[in-house]
Amino acid sequence: MWGGRTLSSSGGRFLGVLGSAFRRKQAERPRVTSWTVYSENQLSWTLQVKPWFFNECRTMCFKSYRMTFSCLNRRKSYRYPRTRLYSTSQTTVDSSEVKTFLALAHKWWDEQGVYAPLHSMNDLRVPFIRDNLLKTVANHQPGKPLSGMKILDVGCGGGLLTEPLGRLGASVIGIDPLDENIKTAQCHKSFDPVLDNRIEYRTCSLEEIVEETAETFDAVVASEVIEHVIDLETFIQCCYQVLKPGGSLFITTINKTQLSYALGIVFAEQIAGIVPKGTHTWEKFISPEKLESILESNGLSVQTVAGMLYNPFSGYWHLTENTSLNYAAHAVKSRIQEHPVPAEFVLKEESGELRANTSTNPGGHEELKK
């Protein structure tokens, strides 16, 4: 009892001292003016009990909330246009890829510069296109084997492939989304009067001319292009639409393998500097098998796939059966345009044939009855 009484009195004195210290602390500490603003709401009891403590927390929480809210607003304002552009745009052009080639627009015709591999690639891709196109025609003019053919060169750049095709006699339209590339191509073409009549350049994307050029071209060329587009499926569909029945699609690109990453990006771009850094994105590379699947599903029959190998020391290309790095593909659009027939007409035709058979063969009619 005595111990408890002593403990109680000691506890009382201790609480009294603590209470007085608390009251002095409360009196010494100035109250935040915002406390009076919230004194009549549902938090008034808490504010009256521990005003100095809650005011600090309330102020901190409020500032933290405002900071978080403003950050979310900024993130939303930056992300929204990008989402809207991706969801509503039908273009196959990758704007980041365009920026990369913009800085190189004046270097297209420097045969010893960054586009030297493309200059030497003409030794392979021009004969590849010419020889496969000649398989589709019976007669051709000597010196102008592609005379009378209309070719669309998609992503023509400075016209490195457009001009050789024009010199073979073809009527060529070269398109590129970058106006600086087209200006370079037009300037170079002006030095050859013969090409002025055979080549036309336009600053546009493929999908922008689909309607006006539907089933117009004997061949579409997309050389070193599909690894830069943002929507390959749409790109192939557009190629199909602008081709005539029986027309050819020619593609050269890079396979998606570990070897292509090691040599095409790490060595060629980062170590040797054969290609400017950032020119290629390995995720956009595509294997011949996947490309063939996309072509076949869009009405294009693959005829030939050939490997292409570049020797960085000699600067020359040669054909090979190995497609683990670069390869060229030739596909043909079907000459017979198949249109789906409604099921009701199929049933009518089958029923009509059945009636005709039963009328000419009474025995068959009896068998049906059984």
Side-chain angles (χ1 to χ4, degrees):
M1 293 294 292
W2 282 104
R5 209 177 279 119
T6 303
L7 180 62
S8 176
S9 60
S10 299
R13 286 195 300 273
F14 175 76
L15 291 177
V17 173
L18 183 61
S20 61
F22 176 78
R23 285 191 294 274
R24 284 196 304 272
K25 184 70 175 179
Q26 184 177 7
E28 292 173 0
R29 193 176 187 89
R31 294 186 178 182
V32 182
T33 55
S34 59
W35 171 72
T36 57
V37 177
Y38 297 94
S39 60
E40 295 180 1
N41 63 12
Q42 59 183 355
L43 303 176
S44 60
W45 181 83
T46 307
L47 290 172
Q48 291 172 4
V49 174
K50 295 182 179 180
W52 59 272
F53 176 78
F54 188 83
N55 273 320
E56 288 184 354
C57 293
R58 186 200 60 78
T59 305
M60 291 172 62
C61 292
F62 182 70
K63 287 183 178 178
S64 176
Y65 169 74
R66 289 180 61 186
M67 188 181 299
T68 304
F69 184 73
S70 63
C71 289
L72 286 175
N73 279 342
R74 285 196 297 271
R75 289 183 64 187
K76 183 177 180 181
S77 65
Y78 288 133
R79 288 168 62 96
Y80 180 73
R82 187 182 301 173
T83 304
R84 180 176 59 183
L85 178 64
Y86 178 77
S87 61
T88 61
S89 176
Q90 298 297 321
T91 184
T92 60
V93 179
D94 191 335
S95 58
S96 62
E97 298 275 1
V98 171
K99 292 178 182 178
T100 301
F101 288 101
L102 177 61
L104 306 172
H106 63 288
K107 298 182 178 181
W108 280 103
W109 288 97
D110 181 5
E111 297 186 12
Q112 305 300 323
V114 295
Y115 290 120
L118 292 183
H119 281 273
S120 60
M121 186 185 287
N122 280 352
D123 295 338
L124 287 189
R125 56 184 178 177
V126 172
F128 183 80
I129 295 169
R130 178 199 62 202
D131 296 344
N132 282 286
L133 284 178
L134 291 181
K135 295 176 182 178
T136 64
V137 295
N139 300 313
H140 59 272
Q141 299 181 19
K144 298 179 182 178
L146 302 185
S147 180
M149 292 190 178
K150 296 189 68 174
I151 300 177
L152 177 66
D153 186 8
V154 184
C156 63
L160 268 61
L161 181 57
T162 316
E163 289 193 7
L165 295 176
R167 290 192 178 92
L168 291 175
S171 175
V172 190
I173 295 180
I175 62 173
D176 197 281
L178 194 59
D179 187 53
E180 285 75 7
N181 286 345
I182 294 300
K183 289 179 180 178
T184 300
Q186 288 175 335
C187 179
H188 196 272
K189 180 192 72 168
S190 64
F191 294 103
D192 191 339
V194 176
L195 296 179
D196 272 338
N197 298 325
R198 298 180 187 173
I199 296 177
E200 176 187 353
Y201 289 113
R202 299 184 189 179
T203 303
C204 63
S205 61
L206 175 58
E207 54 273 11
E208 290 175 344
I209 64 169
V210 166
E211 292 186 3
E212 62 177 285
T213 60
E215 297 189 353
T216 299
F217 298 100
D218 298 285
V220 173
V221 178
S223 184
E224 307 305 299
V225 170
I226 65 171
E227 65 268 25
H228 301 290
V229 301
I230 200 171
D231 186 349
L232 181 57
E233 187 81 24
T234 301
F235 182 85
I236 296 300
Q237 291 173 1
C238 292
C239 292
Y240 175 87
Q241 293 178 40
V242 300
L243 278 173
K244 294 178 180 178
S248 295
L249 172 61
F250 296 95
I251 292 175
T252 67
T253 188
I254 308 174
N255 198 347
K256 190 176 183 180
T257 61
Q258 294 180 352
L259 186 61
S260 69
Y261 178 80
L263 296 181
I265 295 182
V266 176
F267 176 76
E269 295 188 15
Q270 301 176 8
I271 298 177
I274 299 173
V275 181
K277 291 182 179 180
T279 301
H280 296 113
T281 303
W282 186 80
E283 287 74 15
K284 288 186 177 181
F285 293 173
I286 184 170
S287 66
E289 295 78 16
K290 186 174 182 181
L291 178 61
E292 182 175 356
S293 175
I294 295 175
L295 292 172
E296 295 284 351
S297 63
N298 285 282
L300 293 158
S301 176
V302 176
Q303 306 295 309
T304 307
V305 176
M308 301 166 58
L309 188 61
Y310 178 70
N311 187 335
F313 302 103
S314 65
Y316 291 102
W317 293 81
H318 66 270
L319 292 175
T320 176
E321 295 181 357
N322 189 345
T323 59
S324 58
L325 288 174
N326 296 70
Y327 63 95
H330 171 220
V332 174
K333 180 178 178 178
S334 175
R335 292 183 180 275
I336 302 175
Q337 303 299 310
E338 297 181 358
H339 299 283
V341 180
E344 56 180 339
F345 291 106
V346 175
L347 292 175
K348 287 181 179 179
E349 290 181 0
E350 290 180 351
S351 60
E353 291 178 358
L354 182 60
R355 283 194 297 271
N357 290 335
T358 53
S359 61
T360 56
N361 186 9
H365 184 66
E366 295 295 330
E367 290 180 0
L368 288 176
K369 286 184 178 180
K370 293 180 181 179

